[in-house]
Amino acid sequence: MPELGSFALLLGLALSVYSFLAGLVALTRNEPRWKVLEESARRAGIASFATVFLAAAILVVAAFSNDFSIAYIFHHSNRELPAPYKFATLWSGQEGSLLFWSLLLSGYGLVLRLRHRTDERLFAHASVVIAAVQTFFLLLLNFAARPFAIRPGPVAADGSGLNPLLQYPEMVIHPPMLYLGYIGFTVPFAFALGALAMRYPGDKWIHITRRWTMVTWGFLTCGIFLGAHWAYYVLGWGGYWGWDPVENASLMPWLTGTAFLHSVMMQEKRGMLKTWNVWLIFSTFMLSIFGTFLTRSGVVNSVHAFAQSSIGDWFVAFLGVIALSCVYFYLKNRDHLRSDHRLESLVSRESSFLFNNLVFLVACFTVLWGTLFPVLSDWIEGHKVTVGAPFFNKVNIPVALFLLLLTAIGPLLAWRKTSLESLKRNFTWPTLGALGTGLFLLVTPASWGSPFGLRPWNSISYLYSLMTIVLSVLVGLTVLSEFVRGGRVIAGKTGASLPAAMVQLARRNTRRYGGYIVHLGVMLIMIGFAGSAFNQDQEKEMSYGDKLAIGPYTLVCQSYTQEENPNYSADIAIMQVWQGGRQIDTLYPESRMYTAAGEQQHVPTVRSTLKEDLYLVFEGQNPDTGHPIIKAHLNPLVSWIWIGVLTMVVGTILALVPNTRTLRAVVPARLGTAVSTRPAPVGAND
Amino acid sequence: MTSFFLIPAKRLPALLALVLAATVLFGAGDDPVRVERLGHQLMCVCSCNQILLECNHVGCPYSTSMRSELVAEVGKNNDKGVLEWFVAKYGPTVLAAPPTTGFNRLAWIMPYLALVMGIGAIIWIVNVWRARSPVTASRPVSSQESSELDQFREQARKEAGL
């Protein structure tokens, strides 16, 4: 079996190399007689998917059949590992995850090559770029990180087992989502580079690219937040984001990808920012590869990183080749990227997109800067420094607040120029509503049941929290006002109820209203983040009947129990939760000892409500007294984050669904040059 | 000119500075509060990459003793002295964020510099583009036309059912 897997990877490499070279030759000749070569390159690309799929399937079968002759299976699986985690073995280690990466990339390539009739020339160019990227990963798999390498010596009776931190249902979903996001950015990159190389006439490529980017962005969003959810429910420190280098690596392409999804509208609507958009896509792809390099090279310290290895050099070389290719084609064809229009006013949709892009890029730069600063400090000062959560929070919170403000005002600004009357009409009520909310939070005394006692003069984090909530409400109200205004018009014409009219409205322009729903999701997430300013925690040794008070809750230790299965043994605390003189719940925090790995792991338990999470961790036992130690966290508004993510997913899906009807409105001709005379779908481009 | 709540605009910066100073100074002398604050400015040195007060690494050989040291030092030293004591014992990586001295100051300056330069660049680009714009040069849109445009946009929305 391992030999077959290795052969499949070698064949996959040969096919990818052929797909790249033959495609390249055919495209440079650009004559009908070379068409056969172009078609053979496309088919070789499709065949490479079959070979990589076969290799991945062999590795999964090896995990299920406990083939510990393969070093990778020995290190990442064991006999008693539950079946879903055996499947997850494929992406649990360096070599397997690179194989998984290659599989997903060839899967994206398969879809692209099967859909080549959309635009054969453009897709042929994109196919060549994808084949080049695929060749790099298959070179790694064949020569630097071999998943089918045989372990020397006699075959072991059992494996070392999967890392206990990864034995959690979400770990079966989180990496594939994250990888679909990371790898998916190869496709927009391939289209952008291909379109630039061939001097693609028109903007069709940007429509195709935007759709692919949105799908990819959706996956990456899910992947990042599934990771945050996993960290919260598994790592047991009570938080969901620690600004770890590996977390940062996933955030950077997300930030530039989000910037692109906004600025691409300027290219579609006004033919502007063509160079900027191309470079945003290039940067997003390079940041995806750079993130992979960070995770796998050992250049930065991270609890999430794979073992340190030599493949970092491969990634540096690959990044160099990508950067040179991008610069070469840009310099060669930059005249093709001239803008059709100029920006006319600072108070316009265009400039709001510029500021939006600026904020996303500054946030990305800050994350990159903070992640790499320890390395820089080591080079220049001769010693490393730590750049942790306090730095990122302090620097990024003002940037995020500025972004939230733009999220509120940007969508309501008109293209080209916004008048004062329009500003007043669109913003008066949302602004008053947001300020009223802020005032309410300020003046409500804690004795009235004010959830947080929001007193910004007590702490800078309270001030940020108040600003976040006020700006989030502003975002929510501006989005709501857009839905209500449009819904009322439709309701007036059709006689439908307002909610039904709003649904109809969203279906008529899915991209615009899907985008608004994504903004609502962002608003909910930001409110969730704001809650972290009011986190509390308590730690106590607790024997039977002992009590621990935190916030409105009193925890009473009922008893302790033990559980044992072939995979792990667990100590479990049984904790009663009391509130207002009555018992409202029982929670069971655990401390597990995994047999194969010989590692201990806390498994927290969470009682989640809209207002707050009660989060309990079985920290261990005091070696002197033998008493168990329980740590309780009270984390306000965390549920809002997960609800916000679901809202973002719904918005993204809606934005991908085609409109039910295209509406067109022509602006009267008498305005002459003051407005565009080209008919445009109303609202479809904004 | 006055702003919200009838505060003269020229006094706003002074008021803001007062609020920020109060924010920083409140509770500065309270030991448990200082332990909580300083414990979030220090890292556990066991390679778990976690903030000292958040380290839940099972069997961590450092965090328990480091927390005891923190409580002891807070009783003896001011905030700066506590942090210096930890740096002297565990090295500069014990600080969760770079100090604002020497080369490390660059870590804090660059993000804000990037933001300010970016904003400046956008304003400059907009001004250059506006100056070059043939439409604007030949016939600027008057405020009356601008308001007319808004009306037409609104009318177009209504007629199109949006």
Side-chain angles (χ1 to χ4, degrees), chain A residues 185-200:
Chain A
F185 280 123
T186 312
V187 180
F189 169 74
F191 277 118
L193 191 61
L196 182 61
M198 70 182 282
R199 299 175 67 88
Y200 188 83

Side-chain angles (χ1 to χ4, degrees), chain A residues 35-265:
Chain A
K35 201 77 184 159
V36 178
L37 192 66
E38 187 179 308
E39 179 60 13
S40 72
R42 185 180 76 85
R43 293 186 181 197
I46 291 172
S48 73
F49 168 77
T51 57
V52 177
F53 180 83
L54 177 65
I58 289 170
L59 197 65
V60 171
V61 169
F64 275 94
S65 58
N66 299 313
D67 186 352
F68 300 120
S69 66
I70 301 173
Y72 182 80
I73 299 297
F74 170 79
H75 288 298
H76 299 98
S77 183
N78 65 304
R79 292 185 184 278
E80 299 301 337
L81 193 67
Y85 302 131
K86 285 205 171 179
F87 190 79
T89 299
L90 177 59
W91 50 80
S92 301
Q94 176 89 285
E95 298 83 357
S97 65
L98 283 170
L99 174 56
F100 186 55
W101 178 293
S102 193
L103 174 67
L104 293 179
L105 178 59
S106 60
Y108 274 121
L110 175 75
V111 175
L112 183 142
R113 286 163 182 136
L114 289 177
R115 291 173 58 87
H116 73 295
R117 296 220 184 278
T118 309
D119 188 321
E120 288 193 9
R121 193 91 188 128
L122 176 63
F123 276 60
H125 277 80
S127 172
V128 167
V129 177
I130 287 185
V133 178
Q134 178 78 335
T135 299
F136 167 72
F137 281 97
L138 284 166
L139 277 170
L140 275 181
L141 287 167
N142 278 283
F143 302 107
R146 295 163 54 231
F148 296 102
I150 301 296
R151 190 168 169 266
V155 178
D158 203 355
S160 307
L162 186 64
N163 183 339
L165 289 174
L166 304 181
Q167 296 189 35
Y168 187 75
E170 226 158 311
M171 260 300 124
V172 185
I173 317 167
H174 160 61
M177 284 287 175
L178 202 60
Y179 282 27
L180 278 167
Y182 264 147
I183 301 155
F185 280 123
T186 312
V187 180
F189 169 74
F191 277 118
L193 191 61
L196 182 61
M198 70 182 282
R199 299 175 67 88
Y200 188 83
D203 280 339
K204 188 179 169 187
W205 76 270
I206 205 90
H207 296 292
I208 299 169
T209 304
R210 182 183 63 77
R211 220 170 170 72
W212 277 95
T213 308
M214 207 181 287
V215 172
T216 297
W217 180 89
F219 281 128
L220 190 58
T221 305
C222 289
I224 288 172
F225 281 99
L226 278 170
H229 195 262
W230 167 80
Y232 187 63
Y233 282 89
V234 174
L235 296 184
W237 57 279
Y240 39 78
W241 190 265
W243 295 106
D244 181 270
V246 173
E247 293 171 344
N248 296 348
S250 66
L251 188 61
M252 288 186 283
W254 186 89
L255 288 167
T256 49
T258 312
F260 171 76
L261 283 175
H262 287 89
S263 66
V264 73
M265 284 186 251

Side-chain angles (χ1 to χ4, degrees), chain A residues 368-378 385 387, chain B residues 98 103-108:
Chain A
L368 180 66
W369 177 249
T371 307
L372 291 183
F373 193 78
V375 182
L376 196 65
S377 171
D378 197 16
V385 292
V387 182
Chain B
F103 173 75
N104 292 317
R105 201 177 286 145
L106 206 59
W108 296 97

Side-chain angles (χ1 to χ4, degrees), chain A residues 338-580:
Chain A
R338 286 213 182 97
S339 288
D340 300 340
H341 295 97
R342 303 281 183 200
L343 209 144
E344 292 165 34
S345 167
L346 261 181
V347 189
S348 63
R349 180 75 66 88
E350 290 93 324
S351 69
S352 85
F353 278 135
L354 280 183
F355 280 108
N356 153 302
N357 267 237
L358 167 72
V359 174
F360 275 116
L361 289 197
V362 167
C364 180
F365 170 76
T366 304
V367 176
L368 180 66
W369 177 249
T371 307
L372 291 183
F373 193 78
V375 182
L376 196 65
S377 171
D378 197 16
W379 281 350
I380 293 177
E381 295 271 274
H383 62 80
K384 280 197 175 183
V385 292
T386 306
V387 182
F391 170 84
F392 289 106
N393 289 337
K394 203 173 267 185
V395 174
N396 276 327
I397 288 175
V399 176
L401 289 174
F402 186 27
L403 187 62
L404 207 51
L405 178 69
L406 288 174
T407 310
I409 62 177
L412 297 187
L413 295 178
W415 289 102
R416 300 191 68 184
K417 190 173 183 181
T418 307
S419 68
L420 196 62
E421 290 79 17
S422 160
L423 280 175
K424 277 185 192 164
R425 192 175 55 240
N426 289 333
F427 289 106
T428 304
W429 287 110
T431 307
L432 287 176
L435 289 175
T437 307
L439 200 62
F440 176 76
L441 290 170
L442 274 175
V443 300
T444 312
S447 55
W448 286 16
S450 173
F452 321 118
L454 238 173
R455 304 291 178 260
W457 47 88
N458 283 346
S459 152
I460 189 83
S461 56
Y462 291 179
L463 179 67
Y464 282 147
S465 187
L466 179 68
M467 288 170 74
T468 305
I469 292 175
V470 168
L471 289 173
S472 297
V473 171
L474 185 64
V475 172
L477 290 178
T478 51
V479 169
L480 199 66
S481 71
E482 277 289 278
F483 268 95
V484 170
R485 196 161 34 213
R488 271 187 184 156
V489 175
I490 290 182
K493 283 194 168 185
T494 62
S497 65
L498 186 60
M502 279 157 59
V503 170
Q504 208 178 330
L505 179 78
R507 291 177 63 198
R508 284 182 181 186
N509 192 339
T510 54
R511 181 176 166 193
R512 176 179 180 179
Y513 291 96
Y516 284 160
I517 291 173
V518 171
H519 283 187
L520 279 180
V522 171
M523 173 203 101
L524 295 171
I525 290 170
M526 295 304 279
I527 291 176
F529 288 163
S532 66
F534 306 93
N535 285 356
Q536 302 174 37
D537 58 66
Q538 298 279 344
E539 191 176 87
K540 191 176 179 184
E541 282 181 37
M542 297 184 80
S543 56
Y544 301 120
D546 280 353
K547 291 180 182 175
L548 170 64
I550 183 163
Y553 304 105
T554 302
L555 304 170
V556 180
C557 178
Q558 182 179 315
S559 66
Y560 291 89
T561 184
Q562 289 187 322
E563 181 188 304
E564 194 151 348
N565 65 40
N567 194 27
Y568 61 81
S569 59
D571 292 324
I572 305 168
I574 303 173
M575 306 294 296
Q576 296 173 354
V577 183
W578 291 70
Q579 186 182 17

